[in-house]
Amino acid sequence: MDYIKHKVPPVREDRLMACQAYGGTCGDLSKDSKKGCLYASKRTFSQTQGCQLNLSLGMISSMRDAVMVIHSPIGCGGNLIQNAGINKVFQKLRQESAVGLRWINTNLSEVDVISGGEAKLRQAVLKAEREFRPSAILVFNSCVPALIGDDIDGILDDLQKQVSAKIVPIHCEGFKTKIQATAYDSVYHGLIRNLVGEDKGSKPEVVRTLEEEAEHQAVISKTVNLLNVGSMSRIDEEELVRLLKALDLNVRILPSYSHPDDFTYAHEAALNVSICATHDDYFVEHFQQMYGIPYVMRTIPIGIANTNKWLRDIASFFGIEEQAEKLIAAETAELNKAIEPFKAEFKGKTAFLTGGEVRILTTAELLHNLGFEILGLRGYHFDKYGEILLDEYLEDVPNSEKAIFNIGSGQVFEQANLLSKITPDLFVGHIGVNGSAAKQGYPIFPLFGQSDDYLGYKGVFEVATRVSRILKNPAFNKNLGSNTRLPYRDSWYEQDPFTYIDDSASVAARIG
């Protein structure tokens, strides 16, 4: 992997041959993914899909002492309004001064589509520098300037000579990819190119004596970069930091809520620790190539089994396996005792999960260990990292090869059809699809929440207690399902849910 020399990163369809349309079972998907032909599958009808601009904003909008310039019509980036208050709260939770979000939209008009928006971009960047004096200006390129051919990089190269802030171009045009997760690559690409390295920082070079340098290197030898792109709450961060510090490791968290200067010496670490390959493979593989820093990216620490795997992988790198096993034994013994009552409560219950491929597979294993039967999973996309985790899931969870696996982001009509046929006791989903499932009357457990914990050993207990509360009082969603309906004809629910996916495996017999 060597894309950093290019101004724009490749999309996931090209880089990872990611699949965005599939319908079958877990067993089918495992076999078909090994044939290498999933990339060719497509939909003859698509309802909607995610935008990588919005995901890019969600990933890096929390950066401290930075201003976002969104080069777009006024509507793009409007979702940031809902994040403004959340951002302040979580800054305070990190004992930081609460500034909130600062962004400028270039407000491209119909006239700008014809004459170009370069002048507005220039004005916006200079305004960001003049009014806020930030350490970094993050410039997000949207669909419109990409289509009309604005020379974003040329303008920003010229403006960098006029402003003191580091300018970070982020090419995240929504129309370029059907795989929304390309946004993670776009943001990391901009950060690595423009913020990482001593020559990119605003702080003066540190001069150390030989003794000080030896001490500094000793600290680096036990330092890990823990990567959070907004996919874990502050409580989750604290749980993972607790576990890593129990192994006597130093922890640096990037990129959420980080400062631009934090990236200057981000390569001074012994190991990069990912919690999700979907988020971080672009970052960790480039860091390994550029700076020789190895990484751990096997799984996300959700549930006992995957938290154990995550800790063992980290301990294996540092040669502290014995210390890790003592920690794992102590944590799991206490946790198993605490969750035993829930296993009896959840026995015989069924669940359906939808979200990112890595998160749904690990959360499904957590629910299985709590007593649930997993009827189906629905991933936003699927690539080689999902293949590895799916094979581990099939090995760890008996009879899981018969469960449904649907791939597709935003295809709510497929989800509605599936749910009408398999009728789970619990729906576990991400923002954007939970409302639809609620209107069908299903109890909803959010796959992720910024104020809740899901990761590590503490996360297992917290998930169990929240699911228990939801299942004990599902009256609201049942009433909602009885009094509302989704905008699909009855004839649609009678069809195979994967009717509009080419080359999909028919599962009519499984769910009919």
Side-chain angles (χ1 to χ4, degrees):
M1 179 185 289
D2 186 15
Y3 301 113
I4 295 301
K5 61 185 177 183
H6 302 294
K7 291 187 175 181
V8 181
V11 296
R12 293 253 173 139
E13 291 94 325
D14 296 336
R15 185 171 71 83
L16 294 177
M17 301 296 284
C19 169
Q20 50 85 34
Y22 186 85
T25 66
C26 289
D28 295 331
L29 179 58
S30 178
K31 294 174 185 175
D32 291 343
S33 65
K34 293 176 176 58
K35 296 176 184 177
C37 56
L38 288 180
Y39 173 67
S41 64
K42 61 183 183 298
R43 283 185 171 77
T44 56
F45 167 76
S46 182
Q47 188 174 16
T48 183
Q49 69 180 59
C51 170
Q52 68 157 332
L53 168 62
N54 284 334
L55 184 54
S56 297
L57 290 169
M59 174 181 173
I60 203 62
S61 61
S62 63
M63 179 177 282
R64 306 187 330 266
D65 196 20
V67 175
M68 293 171 284
V69 171
I70 305 170
H71 190 35
S72 69
I74 193 64
C76 297
N79 64 310
L80 282 172
I81 295 173
Q82 67 180 343
N83 294 338
I86 295 173
N87 196 66
K88 276 192 173 184
V89 170
F90 283 92
Q91 283 179 342
K92 288 182 177 179
L93 285 175
R94 288 164 174 80
Q95 288 80 48
E96 298 158 0
S97 57
V99 177
L101 300 181
R102 302 182 295 186
W103 79 89
I104 297 172
N105 191 293
T106 54
N107 192 16
L108 297 178
S109 65
E110 293 178 354
V111 173
D112 297 320
V113 172
I114 298 171
S115 59
E118 295 180 353
K120 282 190 171 180
L121 175 61
R122 188 179 293 274
Q123 291 168 11
V125 171
L126 292 175
K127 181 177 181 179
E129 170 76 5
R130 182 176 63 253
E131 292 198 7
F132 300 106
R133 297 293 178 185
S135 295
I137 300 173
L138 312 173
V139 180
F140 297 83
N141 194 31
S142 70
C143 296
V144 171
L147 287 169
I148 64 179
D150 281 357
D151 183 13
I152 306 298
D153 292 293
I155 293 170
L156 297 182
D157 286 344
D158 181 57
L159 285 171
Q160 185 63 84
K161 304 169 187 174
Q162 304 175 44
V163 302
S164 58
K166 284 292 179 181
I167 299 177
V168 181
I170 298 174
H171 292 272
C172 51
E173 306 90 332
F175 72 88
K176 291 177 65 176
T177 177
K178 293 180 180 179
I179 309 297
Q180 189 179 11
T182 298
Y184 300 118
D185 306 344
S186 299
V187 173
Y188 276 137
H189 187 86
L191 295 177
I192 294 172
R193 275 176 58 91
N194 298 280
L195 295 183
V196 175
E198 291 92 333
D199 59 321
K200 308 288 176 58
S202 59
K203 295 180 180 179
E205 184 179 352
V206 179
V207 179
R208 303 183 182 89
T209 65
L210 290 176
E211 185 178 339
E212 289 171 336
E213 182 61 27
E215 191 174 313
H216 180 63
Q217 292 301 323
V219 171
I220 292 175
S221 69
K222 299 188 73 174
T223 297
V224 300
N225 289 326
L226 177 61
L227 302 178
N228 176 16
V229 296
S231 54
M232 57 176 163
S233 66
R234 177 56 182 165
I235 310 172
D236 282 331
E237 282 184 352
E238 290 174 343
E239 168 68 354
L240 297 189
V241 169
R242 178 184 73 86
L243 294 174
L244 293 173
K245 286 191 173 182
L247 298 177
D248 299 320
L249 299 175
N250 308 311
V251 185
R252 177 195 293 127
I253 300 176
L254 298 169
S256 286
Y257 298 95
S258 57
H259 188 279
D261 286 342
D262 294 339
F263 291 91
T264 304
Y265 298 99
H267 59 282
E268 292 190 345
L271 184 69
N272 279 320
V273 176
S274 167
I275 67 159
C276 180
T278 294
H279 300 161
D280 304 322
D281 81 299
Y282 196 88
F283 181 89
V284 298
E285 291 195 20
H286 273 103
F287 256 53
Q288 184 177 55
Q289 179 179 318
M290 297 167 66
Y291 301 107
I293 301 175
Y295 58 85
V296 166
M297 195 175 59
R298 179 183 178 188
T299 187
I300 182 171
I302 290 179
I304 296 175
N306 285 289
T307 300
N308 291 349
K309 291 175 186 177
W310 187 76
L311 283 173
R312 284 176 177 136
D313 287 347
I314 295 169
S316 176
F317 172 79
F318 288 101
I320 51 175
E321 293 90 341
E322 184 177 347
Q323 186 177 350
E325 290 302 327
K326 289 180 180 178
L327 175 64
I328 290 170
E331 294 284 341
T332 53
E334 182 179 357
L335 179 58
N336 282 325
K337 184 178 179 180
I339 63 175
E340 194 61 35
F342 295 108
K343 292 183 178 181
E345 179 183 339
F346 298 146
K347 186 176 181 180
K349 298 291 185 181
T350 59
F352 180 89
L353 299 91
T354 180
E357 57 179 350
V358 175
R359 190 144 195 150
I360 59 173
L361 283 164
T362 51
T363 304
E365 187 163 346
L366 185 162
L367 292 176
H368 164 76
N369 291 332
L370 288 174
F372 279 86
E373 178 189 356
I374 308 303
L375 298 180
L377 303 106
R378 188 164 174 273
Y380 291 154
H381 74 276
F382 194 82
D383 55 33
K384 63 181 183 180
Y385 299 108
E387 180 182 317
I388 294 168
L389 208 57
L390 175 59
D391 287 345
E392 290 189 3
Y393 176 77
L394 291 171
E395 184 178 335
D396 294 342
V397 180
N399 301 316
S400 53
E401 69 278 355
K402 298 177 182 178
I404 297 161
F405 207 118
N406 178 210
I407 299 172
S409 173
Q411 311 307 320
V412 184
F413 74 105
E414 285 179 356
Q415 173 183 294
N417 188 315
L418 272 171
L419 291 177
S420 71
K421 290 179 168 64
I422 64 176
T423 60
D425 295 309
L426 180 70
F427 178 88
V428 181
H430 222 318
I431 186 171
V433 297
N434 290 348
S436 172
K439 288 180 180 179
Q440 290 182 275
Y442 296 104
I444 305 296
F445 177 68
L447 184 69
F448 166 70
Q450 289 183 316
S451 300
D452 297 316
D453 44 353
Y454 296 79
L455 306 188
Y457 302 110
K458 183 180 179 182
V460 176
F461 181 77
E462 291 298 324
V463 166
T465 55
R466 293 201 301 273
V467 168
S468 176
R469 288 197 299 270
I470 289 168
L471 291 182
K472 285 177 180 176
N473 187 17
F476 176 82
N477 284 19
K478 286 185 176 181
N479 288 336
L480 188 64
S482 299
N483 292 280
T484 60
R485 62 171 292 154
L486 297 177
Y488 309 118
R489 295 179 179 177
D490 292 339
S491 59
W492 165 238
Y493 294 103
E494 296 170 1
Q495 297 183 55
D496 185 315
F498 307 133
T499 297
Y500 295 100
I501 300 178
D502 278 358
D503 301 323
S504 67
S506 175
V507 292
R510 163 72 175 138
I511 61 178

